[in-house]
Amino acid sequence: MTAEDWPRVEAIFAAGIAGGEATFETRPPTWERFDTGKVPDARLVAVDEAGTVVGWAAASPVSAREAYRGVIEHSVYIDPAHRGEGIGRALLAAFIEAAEDAGYWTIQASVFPENTASLRLHEQAGFRVVGRRERIARSGVGPHAGRWRDTLLIERRSTRNGGQPDA
């Protein structure tokens, strides 16, 4: 993912926000804020035959503490016009490989329990639910605007080195 991809990434992000099942965010950040907040070595876009971005995946460190250097929180977004085409599965698989190649040992995300498509996708990729955060925050937009929402914390441990960081 590069700055040149940002207009399509931002549009896909905005569509996810508007749908109300992807994030607590109320609008996409600027490219500069997005770029500085995401790890550079696990940032991908999916493109169609014409080279148009139809999905993206990116992650942020969960902590600045050295002990958590291998733990990231990720997001995967697909253009609504291209959902159900297997793009999410391919993008998530490529993202996991890139993250493991970069030395990350845990990938996590918070998913709304109602987002069953995302939960199924992640389960098929080896993620598991490790907890539920009840009424963690209020939705800002979409059909749940103003309502307190739960999230499920999901994680996937690397299959390399028994799920542990390199020594």
Side-chain angles (χ1 to χ4, degrees):
M1 180 188 304
T2 66
E4 290 75 37
D5 298 319
W6 181 245
R8 285 289 303 144
V9 169
E10 181 182 32
I12 294 166
F13 198 175
I17 291 169
E21 297 299 347
T23 182
F24 284 113
E25 296 294 336
T26 58
R27 65 180 181 272
T30 63
W31 164 251
E32 292 74 20
R33 188 168 148 235
F34 183 93
D35 184 45
T36 58
K38 305 298 181 194
V39 297
D41 42 12
R43 203 188 301 190
L44 306 171
V45 292
V47 297
D48 64 12
E49 303 80 26
T52 302
V53 173
V54 295
W56 61 270
S60 302
V62 299
S63 175
R65 295 171 60 196
E66 180 63 21
Y68 295 103
R69 71 187 178 284
V71 184
I72 52 176
E73 182 166 356
H74 82 294
S75 298
V76 177
Y77 284 76
I78 306 301
D79 184 321
H82 293 277
R83 290 185 185 147
E85 298 176 4
I87 296 166
R89 183 173 25 261
L91 188 55
L92 184 55
F95 174 82
I96 290 167
E97 184 173 336
E100 288 190 342
D101 287 349
Y104 298 107
W105 60 81
T106 301
I107 303 169
Q108 68 181 37
S110 291
V111 179
F112 293 123
E114 300 84 1
N115 192 344
T116 57
S118 181
L119 290 169
R120 270 194 314 274
L121 172 70
H122 284 86
E123 181 182 18
Q124 292 168 354
F127 285 78
R128 65 187 180 102
V129 174
V130 294
R132 183 182 194 107
R133 295 167 156 179
E134 295 179 353
R135 298 172 45 91
I136 189 73
R138 287 183 195 229
S139 282
V141 298
H144 304 285
R147 288 185 30 211
W148 286 97
R149 304 282 303 274
D150 293 358
T151 60
L152 298 176
L153 179 61
I154 62 172
E155 75 170 17
R156 182 185 188 282
R157 298 298 300 256
S158 174
T159 56
R160 301 179 187 174
N161 300 320
Q164 300 301 314
D166 293 331

